[in-house]
Amino acid sequence: MSTYRVAIDVGGTFTDVFVFNEKTGDISVTKTSSTPSNPEVGILDGIDKANISGKDISMFSHGTTVGTNALIERKLPKTALITTKGFRDVPEIRRGTKQDLWDAYKDVAPPYIQRRDRFELNERVDYAGNILVEVEEAEIRSLAQKLKKRGVESIAICFMNSYINNANELKTLKVLQEEIPGVYLCASSSILPEIFEHERMSTTIINAVLGPIVSTYIHSLEEKVKDKGYNGDILVLHSGGGVMTSETVPKYAARLASSGIAAGAIASKYIANLCGFQNAIGLDMGGTSTDISLMYDGQLKITKDWSIEYGYPIGFPSIEILTIGAGGGSLAWVDEGRSLRNGPQSAGAVPGPACYQRGGEDPTNTDANLVLGRLSTELLDGQMSLNKEAALQAVRKIGAQFGYSDEEAANAILKVANANMCDALRLISVRKGYDPRDFALVAFGGAGALHSAYLAKEIDIPNVIVPAHPGVAAAMGCLLVDVRHDVSKTFVKDIQDTSVEELEEEFQSLEMEAANLLKQEGIAEENMNLVRYLEMRYLGQWRTLSTPIGRPIDSLETALNTFHNEHERAYAFSNKDQHVEIYGLRVEAIGAVPKPQIVKESPNGTIEDAIKGYRDVFFEESGGYVNTPVYDRKKVPTLSILQGPAILDQLDSTVVLPPGFTAEIDPYKNIIMTYTK
């Protein structure tokens, strides 16, 4: 009988494996090197390294960077866009904005589909959904033959106003299916039936370019894990913080554009709640980047304003995550003005930091931590050796440019990295109206616990939580999510002119569609939960706020008051005399799946037994090197209290407890650090 639930998170440097034994409640973790050119290999290596076979797995869930990497590297299939006559250049025009307003020489990345592969058909639907010009079948068939000769692998269809009447889109889709069978097709009215042509077209294009890639990947992975004896569904995490089965993944490929990133946010929420915190900021610092998320009042913040590359939005609801180029492998360098910089360039998995001795020669954060004694020369319980001399040689490149000693150079590298992360923490909290002093910082990823105490001290976050398995927390997040889909539609009307009956009818229609999606995923009706949201804004405004509403709707007054209160918090402004407009309706469809329950542990052993040695660690606040105790974290008993400075080693991460910090180990083996000076 299958007894293991397995979750795997494929990162840029490492593939993390989290295994939960359903019978005993035991947890085991492991890591293996990622294989970016063939991610399935890293996944299978991780399963082998966990010493389990496919027939022992009862549930397999994973987050993947396949979609993200494909968009960044532009390794995309030949894709065509078919749109309304006169709108061929919408992907080029975008919103006419730039990420850096003052950099006249920095161009926005080019569209995912080149102009020569964007085609127009003569059709027109007005604002009210009336068909003014019906698309002609002969014109579609003629275009289909041209696309067939060009060897197109995927086609995106996006007609203007199809969100309100999709008859022309569906007709085009049907004819193309007849003329070019086997080509991946997606229509905007099925992907994102919402107003604003750029956002809808961009989402449809990204879905089209990723569709064949994701389909090939998921089918290949299915075959390989089946060969290992696993015959269940492969659950894949998507941007909204839920999972989809392999049957649904190809249809909504764009949702995988931030698959692995969302897993960390889910884990952060779970861990903070476990420790009794309702407000938390997640800090997922890996080898290549740092992903930052925010939970307020027990809920992760959701956004529809996100992208992998600036200018090309993805309109599916996503957990709001800020990603910056700050990881263990981020490179330190000196710019033309002779200022020290850190990232976003990274040594990645190959060649990696200089201390890995895989060909890397430039200094990274990992090298700096090793030079300062914060990292051991042995990682992964001795499975990986680091060369301190190689790290010193790399760090000295920075020291030579500023006249710094080895320690000063390494410390400067880490201070710049910490400053970058503090800026990002402020962006996701202070800039959005949240006070960091009301939050806990959940630090995970392979490098998060090395830096987290200094970040919390800098921006006045009172508590830092380091989970029991920080290096594989994102993988654990893959086991903590439900099947989830979001179904939405544009509905523009003043709330004063909207009746409860009208909204109830619209929501019931969306719920039928949402429930059907869950049924396709194999979710039983008793495990379905449908949550309704109104997208609302003050009349004349551009941006909207998502407001929950009851099911069934008894009154619109509660939703209206919630909107005013949230607007006050987010923008320091509200006006109850101002007219409020409903802009859209959304149903969040959640299909519950079994989740592991982490059990409390009683104290076992003494804190002295956990000390495995001492080493000199550099702490600037102490004036230099301090002979610091190094603990084997597995042996540190629950309910223990530690005073900094201290280092805690474990297979998947290293925890730095600086001077002035106190750490308490809770019954779930989480470390809760507090600054006491």
Side-chain angles (χ1 to χ4, degrees):
M1 183 178 176
S2 302
T3 56
Y4 296 102
R5 297 184 198 172
V6 176
I8 296 180
D9 178 53
V10 183
T13 306
F14 289 105
T15 293
D16 303 330
V17 183
F18 184 94
V19 180
F20 178 78
N21 188 319
E22 293 178 331
K23 290 183 178 178
T24 65
D26 291 339
I27 291 170
S28 61
V29 302
T30 189
K31 297 172 80 76
T32 187
S33 294
S34 293
T35 51
S37 60
N38 193 352
E40 303 99 305
V41 173
I43 292 173
L44 298 174
D45 287 347
I47 294 173
D48 290 339
K49 203 168 182 180
N51 293 317
I52 55 176
S53 66
K55 63 184 179 182
D56 296 325
I57 300 174
S58 62
M59 187 171 113
F60 177 53
S61 178
H62 85 299
T64 176
T65 55
V66 167
T68 311
N69 293 342
L71 292 175
I72 292 172
E73 296 170 5
R74 297 295 177 116
K75 295 179 179 178
L76 306 170
K78 189 171 182 58
T79 308
L81 168 70
I82 301 177
T83 188
T84 305
K85 189 174 182 180
F87 291 88
R88 179 185 183 184
D89 293 318
V90 166
E92 208 101 36
I93 298 168
R94 305 180 315 279
R95 289 291 169 200
T97 58
K98 299 180 71 173
Q99 190 169 20
D100 190 341
L101 181 64
W102 308 111
D103 190 344
Y105 298 99
K106 186 175 181 180
D107 293 324
V108 176
Y112 294 115
I113 300 178
Q114 298 183 59
R115 194 173 195 273
R116 63 174 175 267
D117 294 318
R118 304 196 295 261
F119 301 90
E120 300 175 341
L121 288 178
N122 191 29
E123 72 85 35
R124 183 69 68 176
V125 174
D126 70 10
Y127 73 96
N130 301 307
I131 296 179
L132 303 181
V133 178
E134 184 178 353
V135 65
E136 294 184 4
E137 186 175 321
E139 189 179 5
I140 302 170
R141 294 192 186 278
S142 175
L143 176 57
Q145 293 307 310
K146 182 185 294 185
L147 296 176
K148 193 173 183 180
K149 289 178 182 177
R150 290 195 179 195
V152 166
E153 301 169 63
S154 181
I155 302 172
I157 308 167
C158 185
F159 291 155
M160 295 307 101
N161 295 332
S162 62
Y163 71 92
I164 199 167
N165 185 338
N166 64 353
N168 279 344
E169 272 197 0
L170 293 183
K171 181 177 179 180
T172 303
L173 186 73
K174 183 175 180 296
V175 173
L176 290 174
Q177 286 172 334
E178 295 172 0
E179 291 288 326
I180 328 176
V183 168
Y184 183 89
L185 298 168
C186 61
S188 69
S189 56
S190 299
I191 300 301
L192 192 73
E194 296 181 12
I195 200 173
F196 295 134
E197 66 274 7
H198 171 52
E199 287 74 11
R200 179 159 47 91
M201 186 178 288
S202 174
T203 303
T204 307
I205 287 172
I206 291 171
N207 204 76
V209 298
L210 291 184
I213 295 170
V214 168
S215 299
T216 301
Y217 163 72
I218 201 69
H219 292 145
S220 173
L221 182 59
E222 270 187 318
E223 290 177 6
K224 289 175 180 176
V225 295
K226 189 176 289 185
D227 290 340
K228 284 187 171 290
Y230 177 70
N231 292 310
D233 283 326
I234 292 179
L235 300 178
V236 186
L237 195 80
H238 64 67
S239 60
V243 288
M244 298 185 288
T245 64
S246 53
E247 290 295 319
T248 312
V249 163
K251 182 178 179 181
Y252 297 106
R255 299 209 75 165
L256 266 62
S258 65
S259 167
I261 300 173
I266 297 292
S268 172
K269 173 186 175 182
Y270 177 81
I271 293 159
N273 288 338
L274 205 62
C275 296
F277 293 93
Q278 287 294 294
N279 299 338
I281 298 174
L283 179 85
D284 182 1
M285 184 178 182
T288 307
S289 62
T290 295
D291 303 316
I292 301 172
S293 59
L294 186 140
M295 176 182 75
Y296 180 71
D297 200 19
Q299 296 297 321
L300 290 167
K301 304 306 291 181
I302 301 294
T303 182
K304 294 181 74 175
D305 183 16
W306 66 286
S307 61
I308 297 301
E309 292 184 294
Y310 182 82
Y312 304 103
I314 300 173
F316 291 124
S318 172
I319 295 174
E320 187 171 7
I321 296 170
L322 179 61
T323 299
I324 64 169
S330 293
L331 297 169
W333 53 286
V334 179
D335 66 15
E336 293 177 355
R338 290 191 52 75
S339 294
L340 179 60
R341 303 285 186 178
N342 193 292
Q345 305 92 328
S346 173
V350 179
C355 59
Y356 284 13
Q357 292 204 292
R358 295 176 180 169
E361 297 180 351
D362 295 321
T364 66
N365 293 330
T366 297
D367 295 311
N369 276 308
L370 182 60
V371 167
L372 297 182
R374 297 177 187 179
L375 274 178
S376 168
T377 54
E378 299 290 328
L379 295 183
L380 302 178
D381 280 352
Q383 299 174 43
M384 183 177 185
S385 296
L386 303 184
N387 188 307
K388 189 169 184 177
E389 184 58 35
L392 275 167
Q393 293 300 322
V395 168
R396 283 171 183 163
K397 293 180 180 180
I398 297 297
Q401 299 202 49
F402 296 99
Y404 289 164
S405 67
D406 295 340
E407 293 74 28
E408 288 173 332
N411 194 49
I413 289 170
L414 297 183
K415 288 176 77 171
V416 174
N418 289 345
N420 291 340
M421 286 185 279
C422 282
D423 286 344
L425 289 170
R426 292 186 184 99
L427 281 175
I428 205 166
S429 58
V430 178
R431 187 173 177 181
K432 295 181 179 295
Y434 299 103
D435 188 340
R437 293 172 295 185
D438 297 332
F439 289 76
L441 181 67
V442 183
F444 54 103
L450 284 164
H451 297 255
S452 55
Y454 290 103
L455 305 181
K457 180 181 175 181
E458 175 66 24
I459 64 172
D460 290 331
I461 295 178
N463 298 107
V464 177
I465 304 169
V466 181
H469 306 285
V472 296
M476 180 183 73
C478 294
L479 286 185
L480 300 172
V481 295
D482 295 310
V483 174
R484 171 177 163 165
H485 290 283
D486 295 272
V487 180
S488 62
K489 71 172 294 183
T490 296
F491 181 93
V492 182
K493 199 168 186 178
D494 192 312
I495 197 168
Q496 303 295 336
D497 301 329
T498 308
S499 68
V500 168
E501 293 75 21
E502 182 181 14
L503 279 181
E504 189 66 40
E505 184 178 343
E506 294 285 355
F507 271 119
Q508 287 180 8
S509 175
L510 289 177
E511 286 172 346
M512 286 181 61
E513 183 180 348
N516 284 332
L517 285 171
L518 292 180
K519 286 177 184 176
Q520 292 172 24
E521 303 274 24
I523 302 296
E525 191 170 340
E526 61 270 19
N527 293 327
M528 295 181 186
N529 182 27
L530 304 177
V531 184
R532 298 172 172 182
Y533 292 91
L534 292 175
E535 303 291 338
M536 303 167 73
R537 62 190 179 189
Y538 285 120
L539 193 64
Q541 280 193 338
W542 169 268
R543 299 201 178 275
T544 65
L545 288 174
S546 189
T547 307
I549 191 168
R551 179 176 181 262
I553 304 168
D554 51 3
S555 167
L556 296 178
E557 198 64 33
T558 302
L560 195 56
N561 288 332
T562 301
F563 168 78
H564 288 305
N565 293 336
E566 180 63 11
H567 205 280
E568 176 71 33
R569 187 209 56 75
Y571 304 111
F573 166 79
S574 65
N575 183 356
K576 294 190 176 182
D577 296 325
Q578 175 90 3
H579 277 258
V580 174
E581 185 177 56
I582 299 173
Y583 163 75
L585 314 178
R586 177 167 65 91
V587 171
E588 182 183 281
I590 303 168
V593 298
K595 301 175 188 63
Q597 296 297 318
I598 298 176
V599 296
K600 294 182 178 180
E601 292 188 22
S602 300
N604 185 20
T606 66
I607 193 69
E608 289 75 19
D609 293 337
I611 297 176
K612 64 179 192 176
Y614 290 80
R615 70 169 176 258
D616 289 337
V617 182
F618 182 89
F619 292 104
E620 184 183 29
E621 58 269 49
S622 296
Y625 282 100
V626 178
N627 193 30
T628 304
V630 180
Y631 295 86
D632 182 343
R633 188 176 175 185
K634 289 185 296 185
K635 296 180 180 179
V636 176
T638 57
L639 307 184
S640 299
I641 295 178
L642 298 174
Q643 299 293 334
I647 301 292
L648 294 91
D649 279 348
Q650 60 188 110
L651 178 142
D652 55 318
S653 189
T654 298
V655 184
V656 173
L657 183 69
F661 278 82
T662 298
E664 180 180 349
I665 315 313
D666 79 356
Y668 298 102
K669 300 285 281 188
N670 298 305
I671 297 174
I672 303 177
M673 292 192 281
T674 307
Y675 185 59
T676 53
K677 284 188 181 179

